[in-house]
Amino acid sequence: MTRDGGGSATPGTDPQQLWLSPGQPRRGRRPGFSREAITAAAVALADAEGLEAVTMRRVAAQVGAGAMSLYSYASDKETLLELMVDHVSGELPASAPLTGDWRADLKTVAHRQRDLMLRHPWLPAALSTRRSLGPNTLAFLEHALAALRPTGLDGAAKLEVFAQLTAFVAGHVTYEITQAAAARSPDRAAAEARYLATVAADGHHPELAEALAAPARTVTPEATFTRFLNRLVDGLATD
């Protein structure tokens, strides 16, 4: 998964060396762990404690190694993040059948991205910088581009659509996570509702007053995401 459609590694990361090498250490004796084990340990740490918890020292402790030995597999934390993003992207069903209805297929792509990001809440932040395309990321990108084939868009436009969709999903998941945290403080939510009601009644915000007076909509996270996604995808032009 990538927030942009193209691929450019973070500074200092050679994508050919990162993705086309067998993942063995460049020097010294082969240790008793693999790049896959290091990446899985880093993902587990991020899932449990957030990206801030992912340090070379913490990951090394998880695999029972010295921190310096990890640098043969990942030269720095940015490279480790590259590996983590591609690792979890392997959970996306890149070979799922397509219906031929590109809008429906694109919505399915977005729902799968959302599910992945909710399982790994650190992922939207990790996607905020331009990253290279690992094999799992490339497989899902290929799937998304195939979903867009019926549009007749050229290649650059299809990449832009996928980038736009991924950015929307990442932003919305970040919003969902923030809202879920706020919901755990009902007193704060009640105070904000009272404040908005007072502001809406002051006569200076008629548009807000009208909006707040409208019938309430279903506000489950899934329903809200689907509503926003429909507006985005249904409004995409193909000319």
Side-chain angles (χ1 to χ4, degrees), residues 121-206:
W122 53 269
L123 187 53
L127 291 172
S128 63
T129 58
R130 188 174 175 87
R131 301 201 175 280
S132 62
L133 305 180
N136 293 322
T137 309
L138 283 171
F140 193 68
L141 174 60
E142 183 74 12
H143 175 72
L145 294 177
L148 287 166
R149 176 169 289 279
T151 64
L153 293 169
D154 64 28
K158 285 191 287 188
L159 288 170
E160 287 176 348
V161 167
F162 181 66
Q164 181 182 3
L165 184 75
T166 304
F168 160 74
V169 177
H172 195 277
V173 168
T174 299
Y175 169 79
E176 281 190 56
I177 293 170
T178 302
Q179 289 298 103
R184 292 193 287 270
S185 177
D187 292 342
R188 173 69 178 177
E192 290 178 352
R194 289 193 300 271
Y195 166 71
L196 284 177
T198 300
V199 170
D202 66 8
H204 299 297
H205 304 87

Side-chain angles (χ1 to χ4, degrees), residues 38-39 41-42 45 53-64 70 80:
I38 293 168
T39 306
L45 269 175
V54 180
T55 66
M56 293 303 218
R57 187 176 299 277
R58 289 287 306 276
V59 174
Q62 292 294 105
V63 298
L70 265 62
L80 184 58

Side-chain angles (χ1 to χ4, degrees), residues 16-25 30 34-36 73:
Q16 284 193 304
Q17 184 178 60
L18 183 62
W19 302 120
L20 300 183
S21 69
Q24 297 300 329
R30 177 180 296 189
S34 65
R35 188 169 79 172
E36 180 73 13
Y73 289 92

Side-chain angles (χ1 to χ4, degrees), residues 24-127:
Q24 297 300 329
R26 293 188 297 274
R27 60 186 181 274
R29 187 177 60 186
R30 177 180 296 189
F33 53 85
S34 65
R35 188 169 79 172
E36 180 73 13
I38 293 168
T39 306
V43 167
L45 269 175
D47 287 347
E49 302 180 40
L51 278 180
E52 298 79 8
V54 180
T55 66
M56 293 303 218
R57 187 176 299 277
R58 289 287 306 276
V59 174
Q62 292 294 105
V63 298
M68 293 304 295
S69 64
L70 265 62
Y71 289 99
S72 292
Y73 289 92
S75 58
D76 50 34
K77 184 173 178 178
E78 282 303 309
T79 302
L80 184 58
L81 284 175
E82 298 268 7
L83 297 171
M84 291 167 64
V85 169
D86 195 67
H87 179 86
V88 299
S89 294
E91 299 173 25
L92 293 165
S95 59
L98 298 170
T99 68
D101 178 339
W102 70 266
R103 285 189 167 89
D105 289 336
L106 202 60
K107 291 173 186 179
T108 298
V109 164
H111 278 284
R112 287 170 175 160
Q113 288 181 312
R114 173 178 175 263
D115 291 343
L116 179 70
M117 293 184 199
L118 289 174
R119 287 195 300 273
H120 305 287
W122 53 269
L123 187 53
L127 291 172

